[in-house]
Amino acid sequence: MSFFSRRQQMGWAALIMGMSVLLSRFMGLIRDKVISFLFGATRESDIYFAAFVIPDFINYLLAGAYFSITLIPLLAVYFEESEEEGWRFFSTVFTWIALVITPLTALAMLIAPCLARIAAPGVNAASLPRLVLFLRIVMPAQVCFLLGSCFTAVLYLRKQFFVPALTPLVYNFLIILGGILLRQRGMEGFCWGVLAGAVLGNFLLPYIALKGGEGLRLFFSLRHKGFRKFVLLALPLMLGQSIVVLDEQLVRIFGSLAGTGAISWLNYARRIMLVPVGVVAQAAGVASYPFLAELVAREEYSRFHQTLNTALQSVLTLLIPLSIWMMVIAEPTITLIFQQGHFSQADTLQTAGLLQISLLAVCCWGIQQIIGRAFYARQDTITPAVLGTLTTLVSLPLFYYFTQWMDATGVAVASALSMGIYTGVLALWWRARFGGDTFSGLAVGQLKVLVLSLVAALPALLLVRLQPMGSAYSPYLVSFCIITASGLCFGLLFALLSSYFTPVLVRPFLMKAGPLGRRLMR
């Protein structure tokens, strides 16, 4: 058995996928750095980011991001029954996905000029052919994403994690490579890199891993007893277009109405904002989900609400101070990461302001990650989908009004407000159905954390404003030193204050922080 088809135990699997996520985020940052260096925040970069609105929407519409949730459990059932039954079910799903996504992609490529006007209504007539070209290049990648995810689901079922871990790394690497090698053709090179990455990383690599491992049996099949159940499981996720998954597309669509560079500024700001969301909120949501599902299965609802409350307290105790500190260092962060080449100081100021607004919604992202999975743990995929769709419809006039009023700033404000509305509705609905035990003590505890975070941010803010190193040094060195110094200052002061005023909330984190954390607890 080859190295890439070897089965992994749970500990190794977690390590492999964790390293994959970390490296993928790092490569994504390098990718955006290369884009900002070569093209800055210009009409060309705006068109590139806008080209993903329609393809991403099609992917969301077909629940491409939820294949693991819907397909793997059913695959496990039918492969347990027999190999023949498992491959027949898999082939049926694969056949129908191919029959849906292939003509849909072909149609989208054919009517790309019409779709381009929807994706970026603010793009002028001279730039429209360029957007159509980009859209037609990246659109076929969706076929590879969806069909490749079927292969990946089988690899996960076999507990073979190396190739799924490599997939996003190959994808990002080829985007960067295409952009650099074809930079004379503008952002078109990055588009070809997207297509190459999808074909090689997302489709061929899992396919080869399956064929060369324990084997792949794929044939044309339109009927299987489990296909109806698969569709019923996936349907709420397909039809319920939540603001969580559409936020990025709405930001791009309305960003096109906010002037040249707006889509790029918003994209760079959103990329940084999602770092704490991914590292803290998403990780906590994924980690808490199996425990919540197990408690529901045992009907231990008291412990279920207690676990949910603990998860919310822990996530917010981390996200509130982290988001406030990131607001303080927004400008030096953007300077250090993006300000180089064609990305100017003016672009830095614009992006930093949008980042500060976006960070206001980080806590809402954290709450919805936990509450959403609590609904899933109770086998309710419909409620988050319906509430998310309704919130999206309510958000559309907000995006339009604020964009007309404040341009790119208005788009960021509308995005933050939309996430706040969705989180509030989701939490209120949960409270109405299951009571307030989940949120017991949450408001009081997190209000204390907020006050302590604001106090701890004051000396860090002074460091950023005063810039004691002056302008004689490189702006990147100055930014790095300010981020480091303000982080140490903020972190130590917040830990000291919270260990005294909110010891119960911070104890789990301080006890894992080594000797210094344990000394602060004493």
Side-chain angles (χ1 to χ4, degrees):
M1 184 179 295
S2 70
F3 176 76
F4 293 108
S5 61
R6 187 177 301 161
R7 293 174 180 260
Q8 284 83 40
Q9 298 298 320
M10 185 177 296
W12 278 107
L15 179 62
I16 290 167
M17 297 309 296
M19 288 298 297
S20 172
V21 170
L22 182 63
L23 291 173
S24 178
R25 290 186 181 276
F26 182 68
M27 290 186 68
L29 191 60
I30 294 175
R31 179 193 64 209
D32 283 357
K33 173 64 177 177
V34 172
I35 293 173
S36 67
F37 179 83
L38 294 176
F39 300 99
T42 58
R43 177 61 67 185
E44 181 77 357
S45 60
D46 283 354
I47 292 172
Y48 170 76
F49 292 125
F52 290 89
V53 171
I54 301 300
D56 285 353
F57 180 78
I58 292 175
N59 188 280
Y60 295 143
L61 186 64
L62 295 178
Y66 298 100
F67 263 74
S68 295
I69 295 176
T70 54
L71 186 56
I72 293 175
L74 294 176
L75 281 173
V77 170
Y78 293 115
F79 270 109
E80 183 69 24
E81 187 174 326
S82 71
E83 281 282 318
E84 178 69 26
E85 200 65 27
W87 286 121
R88 181 167 295 280
F89 170 70
F90 175 82
S91 297
T92 303
V93 172
F94 188 91
T95 300
W96 275 108
I97 292 294
L99 289 175
V100 172
I101 187 58
T102 304
L104 188 60
T105 299
L107 176 63
M109 293 175 69
L110 182 65
I111 62 172
C114 298
L115 295 177
R117 293 186 179 91
I118 298 173
V123 170
N124 57 40
S127 301
L128 200 61
R130 189 75 169 159
L131 178 55
V132 172
L133 173 64
F134 287 5
L135 184 59
R136 283 174 170 161
I137 294 172
V138 302
M139 184 64 72
Q142 300 308 310
V143 178
C144 299
F145 290 146
L146 288 168
L147 297 182
S149 64
C150 295
F151 297 142
T152 301
V154 180
L155 291 174
Y156 280 136
L157 183 66
R158 292 177 175 176
K159 299 179 177 62
Q160 297 169 358
F161 293 90
F162 279 113
V163 168
L166 282 176
T167 292
L169 306 183
V170 173
Y171 176 69
N172 278 309
F173 173 75
L174 289 177
I175 294 176
I176 297 169
L177 185 64
I180 293 175
L181 293 180
L182 301 177
R183 60 186 178 276
Q184 298 302 323
R185 301 174 68 171
M187 293 295 299
E188 183 183 338
F190 288 93
C191 295
W192 287 113
V194 168
L195 183 56
V199 172
L200 180 59
N202 292 80
F203 183 81
L204 286 179
L205 201 59
Y207 173 78
I208 293 170
L210 282 179
K211 290 284 288 185
E214 298 176 31
L216 168 65
R217 291 177 57 193
L218 181 61
F219 46 88
F220 185 84
S221 175
L222 293 176
R223 297 185 64 182
H224 187 275
K225 60 184 180 182
F227 183 69
R228 182 173 178 272
K229 186 173 184 180
F230 169 75
V231 173
L232 291 176
L233 282 173
L235 199 60
L237 302 174
M238 295 166 66
L239 300 180
Q241 294 299 307
S242 168
I243 191 66
V244 176
V245 296
L246 290 182
D247 176 72
E248 184 174 11
Q249 314 317 319
L250 293 176
V251 165
R252 289 170 175 170
I253 291 171
F254 287 95
S256 71
L257 300 171
T260 301
I263 299 178
S264 300
W265 296 329
L266 289 160
N267 181 79
Y268 298 137
R270 194 175 188 276
R271 182 74 62 186
I272 302 300
M273 179 272 292
L274 287 177
V275 171
V277 173
V279 173
V280 177
Q282 187 176 353
V286 172
S288 62
Y289 180 71
F291 294 97
L292 295 173
E294 184 179 8
L295 290 171
V296 169
R298 295 177 179 175
E299 298 186 355
E300 298 181 18
Y301 294 112
S302 177
R303 288 186 60 196
F304 175 86
H305 292 294
Q306 184 181 357
T307 302
L308 198 54
N309 180 270
T310 301
L312 287 170
Q313 291 279 19
S314 298
V315 165
L316 292 178
T317 300
L318 286 176
L319 284 182
I320 289 175
L322 185 57
S323 57
I324 288 176
W325 175 62
M326 289 183 67
M327 288 181 202
V328 171
I329 60 163
E331 187 176 334
T333 298
I334 301 301
T335 299
L336 181 64
I337 296 175
F338 294 118
Q339 186 178 307
Q340 201 173 7
H342 286 80
F343 196 90
S344 66
Q345 186 178 12
D347 293 324
T348 293
L349 294 176
Q350 290 281 358
T351 306
L354 298 174
L355 173 58
Q356 289 173 326
I357 296 170
S358 301
L359 286 167
L360 292 172
V362 163
C363 291
C364 296
W365 282 87
I367 294 171
Q368 67 84 18
Q369 285 281 337
I370 303 298
I371 299 297
R373 281 176 171 79
F375 276 105
Y376 295 149
R378 298 190 71 116
Q379 300 181 15
D380 181 1
T381 59
I382 296 177
T383 297
V386 171
L387 295 180
T389 302
L390 293 175
T391 304
T392 303
L393 295 176
V394 171
S395 299
L396 291 175
L398 289 179
F399 272 95
Y400 180 79
Y401 174 75
F402 280 103
T403 302
Q404 295 293 313
W405 181 25
M406 295 186 291
D407 295 327
T409 301
V411 178
V413 170
S415 174
L417 283 175
S418 300
M419 185 54 59
I421 292 171
Y422 175 61
T423 303
V425 170
L426 199 65
L428 288 173
W429 193 275
W430 179 272
R431 187 185 186 94
R433 283 185 60 183
F434 305 113
D437 291 346
T438 296
F439 307 103
S440 178
L442 192 65
V444 174
Q446 296 311 312
L447 181 60
K448 292 179 181 179
V449 172
L450 175 61
V451 172
L452 296 179
S453 300
L454 292 173
V455 173
L458 292 176
L461 182 61
L462 284 176
L463 279 172
V464 173
R465 295 299 183 197
L466 293 176
Q467 294 198 13
M469 292 181 67
S471 58
Y473 299 91
S474 163
Y476 313 113
L477 177 62
V478 171
S479 297
F480 176 78
C481 291
I482 287 175
I483 292 171
T484 303
S486 66
L488 290 172
C489 180
F490 177 87
L492 288 174
L493 184 55
F494 176 77
L496 183 64
L497 292 171
S498 58
S499 66
Y500 183 80
F501 290 102
T502 58
V504 175
L505 293 178
V506 299
R507 181 182 294 276
F509 307 108
L510 291 179
M511 294 302 291
K512 295 178 181 179
L516 179 59
R518 290 190 289 271
R519 181 171 297 179
L520 285 171
M521 286 307 303
R522 290 196 294 269

